Amino acid sequence: MRQCCWAANGSRQNTALGWGAAAFAAAGLAPAMGLAPELPGMMAEDLFARQQWWVMTAAMSAVGLWLLLRGETGWLRLLAIPVLLAPHLWGAPHPAIEAGASAVPAELAARFAAMSLAVQAVLWALTGFLVGTFWQRIGAASEAEADGR
């Protein structure tokens, strides 16, 4: 029988770190593959269109990762592939501009995008670690309370 929410060895911190990594992949990495983080002054498409695409991509990435990692059957795991690819095949909204038309230097934009993703990865990992730590402490306290009765 499959364990509910943690590994068989009880490593709740590792599981929480895994969930943090999956959250980064869904909310940061997958949307950034279509819409890189942007500096003020960069040429960009309509904000509402970009927000819609970002929300759709994050949601479909989360669902796709869930199906891929937690799917009980092979067909659920196969279904994850088109779910993960759909937003990228649809395409992110980009303005129709000439190359080099932005006021922001390309090197600065690339460094900003890389640093934004790095900071987001660290924050998701830290969130996963802290949740795992608290989860472990709460679980230990609950088990001690149950043993005391």
Side-chain angles (χ1 to χ4, degrees):
M1 189 163 128
R2 188 176 214 168
Q3 292 276 324
C4 171
C5 298
W6 52 82
N9 65 359
S11 178
R12 295 177 179 152
Q13 280 183 325
N14 289 342
T15 300
L17 277 172
W19 282 108
F24 168 67
L29 197 57
M33 288 193 285
L35 286 175
E38 297 171 348
L39 282 166
M42 291 179 69
M43 298 293 291
E45 185 62 34
D46 176 52
L47 178 63
F48 186 68
R50 289 182 292 144
Q51 287 175 334
Q52 283 181 318
W53 187 86
W54 186 94
V55 168
M56 175 189 66
T57 303
M60 291 185 80
S61 296
V63 169
L65 284 172
W66 178 265
L67 290 172
L68 188 66
L69 300 174
R70 304 287 293 180
E72 296 286 331
T73 62
W75 69 269
L76 283 175
R77 290 187 178 132
L78 280 176
L79 180 63
I81 295 168
V83 171
L84 288 168
L85 291 177
H88 303 287
L89 295 175
W90 178 270
H94 292 286
I97 60 169
E98 301 172 11
S102 178
V104 177
E107 181 182 342
L108 181 62
R111 289 181 69 197
F112 177 77
M115 288 305 294
S116 295
L117 289 172
V119 167
Q120 196 175 108
V122 168
L123 288 175
W124 277 114
L126 183 61
T127 300
F129 175 78
L130 291 174
V131 166
T133 300
F134 294 132
W135 189 8
Q136 204 163 15
R137 288 184 182 175
I138 290 169
S142 296
E143 289 171 6
E145 185 179 302
D147 290 340
R149 287 187 180 181

